[in-house]
Amino acid sequence: MDIATLYNANITNITIAKNAYDALATAFGQHVDAWQREVADRLAASHWTGDTSDKAQAEIRDLSTKLQAARQEISFVSRALADAAEAFAAAQSHLIKALDDAKAKKFNVAADGRITWDNEPTSANYAGDGAEAAAKDISKRITDALNEADHSDGEIAKRLNHLSHNATSGTGLDAGTAKADQDAIAALDQAPPAGTDPNAVKAWWNSLTDEQQHRFVLNHPDQIGNLDGIPAVTRDEANQIRMARTKQDLQTQLNQLGPEPPKTVVTPGGIITNPMYSAWKTLHDDAQEKLDSINTIESRLNGDKLKARDGRPAFLLGFDTTGKGRAIIAINNPDTADNVLTFVPGTHARFGQAPGDIDKADEMAKTAAEADRTKTTATIAWVGYDAPQNLVPEASSNSYAENAEKDLARFQTGLRTTHEGAPSHNTLMGHSYGSVTVGFTMRDLRPPVDDVILVGSPGVGVDHAKDLNIDPSHVYVCRGSEDTMIKNAARTGLLFGTDPVADEFGAQHLPAGDTDHSHYWKPGTPPVAAFGAVAAGKWTG
């Protein structure tokens, strides 16, 4: 594909051909319906019997099947042409926009895509001091547009050649062939299911044209937003669409609940709590908490707090308000960052409490930048599992960590899969019960991480740091002297194995001072500074 071919392509002709196939499919379908109604159905309802009748009826049924298959195959050609027009129009639009921008910047674009410009400051056509960087950007956009068209051309050609072969060889008259082709077309609108290996997801995503990808984000954001292996920027776009729709749904739910019922009612036995009030309050508080959380997350994503956050952008990598809900928010783009830290919160973690976890991720991004201003660190609040919501009995159970293992490990693999350039330095951190989840995941599934941080941990399911399938020198523990409840629980070793801060566990210790269980991320304290240094790969002890 070259610039002139794509620039001058008459996309309208493809649409005209598509419309012609639509007309053909309609006409053919009418003939098939007439055949079925006037011939097949009449003979089937007749009283004609005998061997000749049986043979004739069998041949008519076979012919009806072939006609229906041919009817489907014609419609598949129309769909292929529609996809071609959409894809080529998108690529052409991207090319024209790049060329227009080149013209506006006084660049000359040759037929082969080379860009030149006037470097003489006194010239009327002087392109400016930033010409070289701008030219590189426009050159890349031109190349991307041509590659996009090439990819679309190849994919559409394969589909049309296949359908042409079916038509000329007669295989398109087979019901099985038509069914296989129908499934292939349906797959164009179906993303890989949740739980698919991120590498397979990435391969599928890369096989789509830009326009197909865009269509998935707009039409199927629920399939894309939580799928590991999809780029962070795309997941953010899909999840923000989902979040906007969910926000409307939650507000509708609140409106439909109506006014608050009386808290108590009088019965012959006395005054009791009104059951209607209890039910109303449960639904109201859940919806209101989620709505408040959405509003806060939206504020962070839209940049309202960027000035206070030193300009660090946020990305919504996961979103779900079902049940207790889930949210995965990255500070800085993990696909392009030099370092990536994933933070797993513990007991009480849920969608409605996610803003507090985002603040912790923000604070660690800040201290990581202070530890190394030459590198970018992305910090991720991973509220991506169903965490226990009370200390007893839920937080003493293994089940919440066990149920989260596969999701957390796959997320870590996905970070590696979608990362651009050299591999990033990745850290996995867990606080409180979140450290149990991290420990179980490391022990059982060996996710690709470089460092592990266990904060305020009651135990992680192993008796030694080496059992986490990572060099013990890359396992860090942090517990404040005032974190007494966790300290007492961990020292018994009854819940989740050896106390992680015990010498025999073999981990590296980070400063905690007199921190209690809830204040490890207090700005300006030794713990959060240490977390940032580890995340940035700059911790020296």
Side-chain angles (χ1 to χ4, degrees), residues 292-354:
D292 290 344
S293 183
I294 285 177
N295 287 331
T296 303
I297 292 172
E298 274 187 337
S299 176
R300 181 64 182 86
L301 293 171
N302 293 337
D304 292 357
K305 298 182 180 179
L306 282 183
K307 187 174 181 181
R309 306 292 201 230
D310 299 325
R312 293 183 293 272
F315 300 83
L316 186 59
L317 305 184
F319 175 83
D320 186 3
T321 58
T322 305
K324 294 300 179 183
R326 301 184 180 193
I328 304 172
I329 301 94
I331 307 303
N332 292 323
N333 185 347
D335 288 347
T336 57
D338 302 291
N339 311 296
V340 181
L341 177 145
T342 303
F343 161 59
V344 182
T347 304
H348 305 304
R350 59 183 183 270
F351 181 82
Q353 297 298 312

Side-chain angles (χ1 to χ4, degrees), residues 5-26:
T5 300
L6 180 57
Y7 187 88
N8 296 317
N10 189 337
I11 311 300
T12 303
N13 284 341
I14 302 177
T15 302
I16 291 173
K18 181 261 182 191
N19 292 338
Y21 261 95
D22 285 341
L24 176 62
T26 299

Side-chain angles (χ1 to χ4, degrees), residues 430-433 435 454-459 477-480 483 486 517 520:
H431 173 232
S432 191
Y433 192 90
S435 72
L454 309 171
V455 184
S457 175
V477 295
C478 183
R479 185 192 299 150
D483 197 348
I486 292 296
H517 194 64
Y520 288 99

Side-chain angles (χ1 to χ4, degrees), residues 221-302:
D222 55 313
Q223 296 182 27
I224 299 300
N226 294 329
L227 199 55
D228 298 315
I230 299 294
V233 171
T234 302
R235 289 178 70 162
D236 175 67
E237 183 181 359
N239 283 321
Q240 291 209 49
I241 292 173
R242 296 181 64 208
M243 189 165 66
R245 295 172 182 174
T246 302
K247 182 178 180 179
Q248 293 179 338
D249 292 341
L250 287 170
Q251 188 60 61
T252 298
Q253 290 176 31
L254 284 170
N255 294 341
Q256 291 176 343
L257 282 174
E260 177 182 319
K263 294 182 180 180
T264 60
V265 292
V266 178
T267 70
I271 298 175
I272 63 171
T273 300
N274 183 359
M276 292 182 63
Y277 168 78
S278 299
W280 178 91
K281 182 171 175 56
T282 297
L283 294 173
H284 175 275
D285 289 357
D286 179 68
Q288 188 64 60
E289 182 186 64
K290 290 173 179 174
L291 188 59
D292 290 344
S293 183
I294 285 177
N295 287 331
T296 303
I297 292 172
E298 274 187 337
S299 176
R300 181 64 182 86
L301 293 171
N302 293 337

Side-chain angles (χ1 to χ4, degrees), residues 99-119:
L99 294 176
D100 286 346
D101 289 348
K103 184 178 180 180
K105 291 184 178 296
K106 300 180 180 180
F107 293 156
N108 301 307
V109 181
D112 62 1
R114 287 179 300 163
I115 298 178
T116 58
W117 60 91
D118 193 335
N119 266 323

Side-chain angles (χ1 to χ4, degrees), residues 29-43:
Q30 291 172 343
H31 287 303
V32 171
D33 290 341
W35 154 265
Q36 185 67 39
R37 183 177 60 253
E38 301 298 332
V39 178
D41 291 348
R42 285 181 181 274
L43 286 176

